[in-house]
């Protein structure tokens, strides 16, 4: 494949689309559990439009990104480095952002969680799913939620174990779940009341 | 302003400025900081503050936040001590109408983004609004500990006892908590936060507010946030509970007894009148009562 074939389209109007994507992301994180639509963006190979839009809106030379094997293709690398200019890193410990899919949720170790003094120096995970509903119903509580919000993200139960393991507020991971053209936020401040589960 | 005019790069709006003045890379950096600020309510995120075309103390922190969040379809309101028509408010409103081409308003319910210096509007905010505060000193512990490394540690350890000592000293000296503005709060039961120099009258409005509240300190280069529907509790003692200011007078213009009042000396004899600090609220009430 020649270089010209590698290069895929990005935002049509970069400043405007980046702002709209950011505002949707800000709102998603400020009100966890509510799905937000994003402005129309083309997909990038296996990357759904919403995942790609978040990358285009938030990544640049200051943000090392870690790609899960499913997304780590020459095409994705070429386009992220062309449109965002972000370094793609091999080790999770170096990542400011990471792009994962549902299959990667069994192990969230290695990503920076921030320190007690600087909890903001933690990794933000972009997790691409097939859809943002249809899973087990959980009750979410915390900042951004008036009382309680019922959210049924289709996530394997070991994700919640991993999240509990890799988060000790204020340290922790902030997540954006994406599917198609929509996203949903799960900041570290949200308390998710998981159903009691017996070991099998 | 002419120098700025000629140096500004061609942007998407107006062709003279980058949209909302700041370049895209700077906006991305601030945006990433704001996302972390929202994820850790009340925690101060350091950011690479830029020089703005006005001095520190005139709202450079708030302006950088506003520039980073503003979009073409936003409606901006800017207030200074509650008023839409004071120098700071007028110039910031004009700045964004010129560099971003956004619509502006003085009416609180019509605004999608409200940048404020030292007040929370009296009109209740909605879930679709964002309130941007201009912050001079973001660190509530700074008065007792000048070293940033130490205050960082105090926040990390939740070592906030000193805040109560300060309030206690008030009681010992004056018989009541005399702190009237920038009254410290605890956000979501974790971080002690400076709500910016709003009167403590406005503190209860921060608690469980449906609007997203973002704070920007330009000189100190810090961002912090209170998401919507977040518990914000003013520090106090069981035997000296938190209380807001009350007036025996009402607003001389609209007659309100519920709003924050400014004291005016109206003649050489020292005659006092009180008027609403929130000019839009006062105007709304005048229209309602047909005055």
């Amino acid at each position: 494949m020649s270089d010209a074939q590698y290069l895929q389209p990005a935002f049509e109007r970069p400043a405007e689309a980046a702002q709209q994507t950011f505002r949707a992301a800000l709102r998603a994180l400020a009100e966890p559990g509510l799905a937000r639509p994003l402005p129309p963006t083309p997909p990038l190979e296996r990357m759904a439009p919403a995942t790609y839009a978040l990358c285009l809106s938030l990544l640049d030379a200051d943000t090392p990104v870690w790609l899960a094997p499913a997304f780590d293709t020459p095409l994705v690398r070429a386009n992220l480095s062309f449109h965002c200019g972000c370094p793609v890193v091999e080790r999770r410990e170096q990542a400011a952002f990471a792009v994962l899919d549902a299959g990667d949720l069994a192990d969230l170790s290695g990503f920076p969680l921030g320190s007690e003094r600087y909890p903001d120096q933690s990794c933000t995970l972009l997790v691409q799913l097939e859809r943002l509903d249809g899973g087990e119903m959980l009750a979410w509580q915390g900042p951004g939620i008036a009382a309680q919000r019922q959210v049924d993200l289709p996530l394997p139960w070991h994700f919640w174990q991993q999240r509990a393991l890799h988060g000790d507020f204020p340290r922790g991971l902030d997540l954006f779940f994406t599917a198609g053209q929509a996203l949903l936020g799960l900041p570290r401040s949200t308390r998710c009341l998981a159903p009691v589960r017996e070991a099998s | 302003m002419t120098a700025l005019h000629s140096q500004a790069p061609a942007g998407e709006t107006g062709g003279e400025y980058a949209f909302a003045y700041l370049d895209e890379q700077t906006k991305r950096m601030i945006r990433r900081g704001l996302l972390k600020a929202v994820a850790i309510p009340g925690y101060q995120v350091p950011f690479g503050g830029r020089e703005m075309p006005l001095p520190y103390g005139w709202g450079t922190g708030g302006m950088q936040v506003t520039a980073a969040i503003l979009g073409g379809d936003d409606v901006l309101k800017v207030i200074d001590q509650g008023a839409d028509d004071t120098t700071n408010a007028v110039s910031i409103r004009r700045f964004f109408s010129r560099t971003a081409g956004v619509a502006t308003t003085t009416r609180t319910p019509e605004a999608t983004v409200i940048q404020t210096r030292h007040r929370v509007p009296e009109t209740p905010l909605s879930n679709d609004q964002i309130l941007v505060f201009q912050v001079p000193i973001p660190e509530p512990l700074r008065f007792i500990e000048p070293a940033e490394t130490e205050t960082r540690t105090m926040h990390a350890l939740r070592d906030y006892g000193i805040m109560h000592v300060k309030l206690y000293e008030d009681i010992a000296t004056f018989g009541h908590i005399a702190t009237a503005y920038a009254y410290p709060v605890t956000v979501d039961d974790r971080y002690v936060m400076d709500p910016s120099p709003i009167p403590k009258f406005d503190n209860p409005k921060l608690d469980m507010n449906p609007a997203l509240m973002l704070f920007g300190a330009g000189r100190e280069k810090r961002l912090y946030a209170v998401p919507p529907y977040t518990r914000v509790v003013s520090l106090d003692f069981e035997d000296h509970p938190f209380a807001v200011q009350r007036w025996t007078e009402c607003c001389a213009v609209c007659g309100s007894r519920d709003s924050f009042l400014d004291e005016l000396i109206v003649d050489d004899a020292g005659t006092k009148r009180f008027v609403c600090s929130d000019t839009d609220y006062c105007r709304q009430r005048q229209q309602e009562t047909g005055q």
Side-chain angles (χ1 to χ4, degrees):
Chain A
M1 216 184 328
S2 74
D3 285 357
Q5 285 168 298
Y6 269 129
L7 208 54
Q8 299 286 309
F11 285 145
E12 210 165 297
R13 297 168 63 88
E16 204 176 302
Q19 185 271 340
Q20 289 167 357
T21 304
F22 161 71
R23 277 288 279 276
L26 182 69
R27 207 143 176 205
L29 216 53
E31 289 177 90
L34 284 184
R36 299 279 172 198
L38 287 173
T41 311
L44 178 65
E45 213 170 39
R46 275 214 56 218
M47 251 189 206
T51 317
Y52 191 30
L54 279 175
C55 290
L56 291 171
S57 170
L58 298 174
L59 303 187
D60 58 29
D62 293 338
T63 54
V65 63
W66 182 88
L67 298 174
F71 299 102
D72 193 0
T73 65
L75 187 99
V76 169
R77 278 179 176 249
N79 281 279
L80 287 188
S81 66
F82 179 80
H83 292 297
C84 308
C86 57
V88 177
V89 292
E90 304 302 323
R91 294 179 55 236
R92 293 179 170 197
E93 287 78 4
Q94 301 168 317
F97 284 84
V99 186
L100 299 85
D101 68 13
D104 303 309
L105 298 177
D107 175 20
L108 296 180
S109 63
F111 297 114
L113 305 174
S115 65
E116 294 283 350
R117 287 182 178 80
Y118 291 94
D120 57 303
Q121 291 171 1
S122 61
C123 191
T124 304
L125 307 184
L126 313 181
V127 182
Q128 183 171 312
L129 303 175
E130 292 296 315
R131 47 190 300 148
L132 296 177
D133 56 9
E136 197 162 11
M137 191 71 80
L138 301 182
W140 291 17
Q141 290 179 347
I145 302 170
Q148 219 178 53
R149 183 166 290 144
Q150 303 293 322
V151 185
D152 59 344
L153 276 177
L155 295 172
W157 64 271
H158 51 240
F159 163 74
W160 299 105
Q161 286 184 327
Q162 284 290 309
R163 182 174 184 260
L165 201 60
H166 301 291
D168 181 12
F169 195 87
R171 300 171 75 223
L173 298 167
D174 304 312
L175 295 101
F176 288 107
F177 294 101
T178 61
Q181 303 266 9
L183 90 167
L184 184 153
L186 174 56
R188 68 192 79 179
S189 58
T190 301
R191 301 173 275 273
C192 303
L193 308 181
V196 181
R197 200 170 264 284
E198 289 179 20
S200 54
Chain B
M1 286 303 273
T2 33
L4 267 175
H5 228 82
S6 55
Q7 285 166 13
E12 296 204 338
T13 303
E16 291 179 350
Y17 291 98
F19 183 82
Y21 185 73
L22 292 176
D23 61 278
E24 288 303 302
Q25 206 271 328
T26 299
K27 283 192 262 184
R28 262 195 305 275
M29 173 267 299
I30 296 173
R31 287 167 182 171
R32 290 191 297 258
L34 288 173
L35 292 177
K36 288 298 173 194
V38 164
I40 318 166
Y43 165 77
Q44 301 163 52
V45 181
F47 79 109
R50 299 294 190 255
E51 260 191 70
M52 298 299 279
L54 75 173
Y56 291 136
W58 287 80
T60 54
M63 284 173 79
Q64 290 179 76
V65 172
T66 301
I69 65 173
L70 215 55
D73 52 358
D74 274 315
V75 181
L76 179 68
K77 172 182 162 82
V78 185
I79 51 173
D80 172 6
Q81 302 269 18
D84 293 277
D85 52 3
T86 47
T87 312
N88 199 205
V90 171
S91 52
I92 293 175
R93 194 162 56 236
R94 277 187 55 200
F95 177 86
F96 283 113
S97 99
R98 188 156 161 193
T99 59
V102 292
T104 59
T105 183
T106 58
R107 302 169 68 93
T108 303
E110 288 173 7
T112 56
V113 175
I114 303 173
Q115 183 173 331
T116 173
R117 174 178 174 272
H118 305 187
R119 274 312 309 277
V120 177
E122 306 287 359
T123 312
L125 301 176
S126 80
N127 186 233
D128 293 321
Q129 294 177 305
I130 300 180
L131 192 57
V132 178
F133 292 78
Q134 302 172 196
V135 183
I137 302 168
E139 179 51 75
L141 304 167
R142 187 64 72 228
F143 73 97
I144 194 72
E145 178 49 70
E148 172 73 7
T149 46
E150 293 303 311
T151 52
R152 284 267 150 196
T153 308
M154 290 163 82
H155 281 294
L157 299 173
R158 288 179 82 157
D159 182 6
Y160 293 135
I162 197 70
M163 296 308 290
H164 279 96
V165 172
K166 182 185 183 236
L167 298 178
Y168 173 75
E169 282 175 353
D170 270 7
I171 296 170
T173 313
F174 306 107
H176 63 279
I177 299 176
T179 306
Y181 65 97
Y183 192 104
V185 296
T186 304
V187 180
D188 194 39
D189 213 16
R190 177 58 180 85
Y191 282 99
V192 165
M193 183 188 92
D194 181 343
S196 87
I198 56 173
K200 66 177 174 180
F201 179 87
D202 286 341
N203 273 24
K205 296 180 196 163
L206 304 183
D207 184 39
M208 297 305 273
N209 196 309
L212 170 62
M213 293 179 279
L214 305 175
F215 298 76
R219 185 192 292 113
E220 303 283 326
K221 299 175 176 55
R222 293 291 184 274
L223 305 167
Y224 51 104
V226 176
Y229 310 113
T230 299
R231 283 172 302 149
V232 178
V233 179
S234 303
L235 303 184
D236 63 358
F237 298 97
E238 277 177 19
D239 52 348
H240 285 272
F242 173 81
V244 300
Q245 296 98 327
R246 291 280 170 225
W247 290 262
T248 48
E249 301 80 1
C250 64
C251 171
V253 181
C254 76
S256 171
R257 291 190 172 276
D258 307 316
S259 80
F260 188 81
L261 300 179
D262 285 339
E263 183 180 317
L264 300 179
I265 307 290
V266 291
D267 59 23
D268 289 348
T271 310
K272 285 179 194 169
R273 302 287 293 276
F274 290 83
V275 293
C276 290
S277 127
D278 186 333
T279 51
D280 175 63
Y281 173 80
C282 197
R283 189 195 48 77
Q284 278 183 46
R285 282 183 47 89
Q286 289 169 54
Q287 280 181 352
E288 282 166 19
T289 53
Q291 282 175 336

